[in-house]
Amino acid sequence: MDHLERLENQSIYILREAYKNFGNLGMLWSIGKDSTVLLWLARKAFYGHVPFPLIHIDTTYKIPEMIEWRDNLAKELNLKLVVASNDKALAEGMHPDRGRIECCTALKTEGLEIALKEGAYEGIIAGVRADEEGTRAKERYFSARDEYNDWEFREQPPELWDQFKTRFAPGTHVRVHPLLDWTEINVWEYIDREHVKVVDLYFDQGDGKRYRSLGCAPCTSKIDSTATTIPEIIAELRATKIPERSGRAQDANRGMEILRKDGYM
């Protein structure tokens, strides 16, 4: 068994444990490479069927090609897609120009809270990776949030030797992270091996630039890259020392740490 097979087996095991232990489960789908690999793993875990809804928190500022690709794939795979947004904040004119942290808090964190309440989800599966960003490295495979959706990472129990804690006090909301041990290169190697479909924005379209991480259009920038194939992306990643989310404005000045403590996805 090679490294990718071990990662796949563990992720499928965590997905099945989550489905067994949480009565009402949903899975976040950002349309990016990680959550799309998670979707692929869920279909493998449940023999081609995804037994819970895919939840997309729509800020309305996403790159338009992402939304078109989302809708086409959801239709092709016959997915139950739930699109949620903070309509009140949008009606009041919330926009990145009002502040990146303020905008992400209103349209992503509060948008997620709205989706959680409407769906009464006991657990949410997310494509978070420990190597993606420092705050995410503090997550557990099964991470509890309090009644306000806040996260206190200092009080989390350890998860040793795959002894996952899946029993929590009634009313606890749990985030499930099957991709926690994957790296960015692992994800691309898996996409290559499994022929997982991803949105074309990850590849150079002829202008010598591509997106390495996808988010809202006003806050996400392309990187200089001529990679047009997955092997070229993997070769590029092996040579670079630039962080994956360097093009994401909300990560600057401990922004992600602040957002995640308050319930950001």
Side-chain angles (χ1 to χ4, degrees):
M1 182 182 296
D2 65 22
H3 185 56
L4 281 184
E5 289 170 334
R6 282 192 288 273
L7 288 173
E8 179 189 69
N9 283 354
Q10 176 176 270
S11 298
I12 287 176
Y13 176 75
I14 292 170
L15 284 164
R16 290 173 174 165
E17 283 293 293
Y19 186 63
K20 181 180 74 176
N21 287 283
F22 301 107
N24 193 14
L25 199 61
M27 189 163 81
L28 293 177
W29 187 25
S30 70
I31 322 171
K33 61 187 185 305
D34 301 323
S35 58
T36 302
V37 162
L38 199 53
L39 167 59
W40 182 271
L41 290 164
R43 296 182 75 227
K44 275 201 166 185
F46 302 105
Y47 308 101
H49 171 64
V50 182
F52 31 73
L54 276 288
I55 305 165
H56 178 68
I57 308 302
D58 194 351
T59 64
T60 73
Y61 294 113
K62 292 289 185 184
I63 301 167
E65 292 94 322
M66 293 172 65
I67 303 302
E68 181 182 358
W69 189 84
R70 176 199 70 186
D71 293 342
N72 288 338
L73 191 62
K75 184 177 180 180
E76 177 185 330
L77 299 181
N78 194 29
L79 301 172
K80 182 180 180 182
L81 176 64
V82 175
V83 178
S85 60
N86 187 346
D87 295 334
K88 180 174 182 293
L90 288 167
E92 293 171 349
M94 180 53 70
H95 186 277
D97 288 348
R98 294 192 174 186
R100 304 291 167 81
I101 300 301
E102 289 80 0
C103 189
C104 277
T105 298
L107 301 186
K108 292 186 177 179
T109 302
E110 293 176 11
L112 176 59
E113 289 175 0
I114 291 168
L116 294 179
K117 288 180 181 177
E118 289 181 349
Y121 296 107
E122 193 176 340
I124 287 290
I125 304 167
V128 167
R129 301 190 339 261
D131 79 321
E132 190 177 1
E133 176 271 329
T135 309
R136 287 177 163 137
K138 299 171 184 174
E139 289 281 7
R140 299 288 187 264
Y141 300 106
F142 294 87
S143 292
R145 263 59 174 175
D146 67 14
E147 59 186 302
Y148 304 107
N149 210 27
D150 291 342
W151 176 46
E152 184 46 77
F153 61 83
R154 296 179 186 84
E155 296 179 359
Q156 297 182 113
E159 291 178 321
L160 303 175
W161 302 290
D162 293 343
Q163 299 300 304
F164 304 133
K165 178 179 172 58
T166 56
R167 295 182 182 276
F168 297 91
T172 303
H173 168 67
V174 179
R175 304 282 180 91
V176 184
H177 303 120
L179 297 186
L180 208 54
D181 290 339
W182 294 56
T183 67
E184 183 183 12
I185 290 178
N186 293 152
V187 168
W188 279 111
E189 289 173 335
Y190 191 75
I191 289 169
D192 192 31
R193 193 183 76 173
E194 298 284 314
H195 307 293
V196 179
K197 291 181 180 179
V198 293
V199 64
D200 287 342
L201 293 165
Y202 283 116
F203 305 96
D204 173 26
Q205 302 296 307
D207 60 354
K209 294 181 180 295
R210 69 176 185 88
Y211 287 98
R212 185 174 167 188
S213 180
L214 296 177
C216 292
C219 302
T220 309
S221 57
K222 294 181 178 180
I223 62 169
D224 293 330
S225 169
T226 57
T228 59
T229 66
I230 297 171
E232 287 177 354
I233 288 177
I234 293 171
E236 184 180 273
L237 294 178
R238 293 191 189 284
T240 188
K241 294 183 179 179
I242 298 173
E244 178 179 359
R245 293 177 61 92
S246 58
R248 302 291 290 274
Q250 71 266 47
D251 284 26
N253 303 320
R254 294 181 60 240
M256 182 56 74
E257 180 178 338
I258 296 168
L259 286 166
R260 287 191 64 77
K261 186 176 182 306
D262 292 336
Y264 185 84
M265 60 198 75

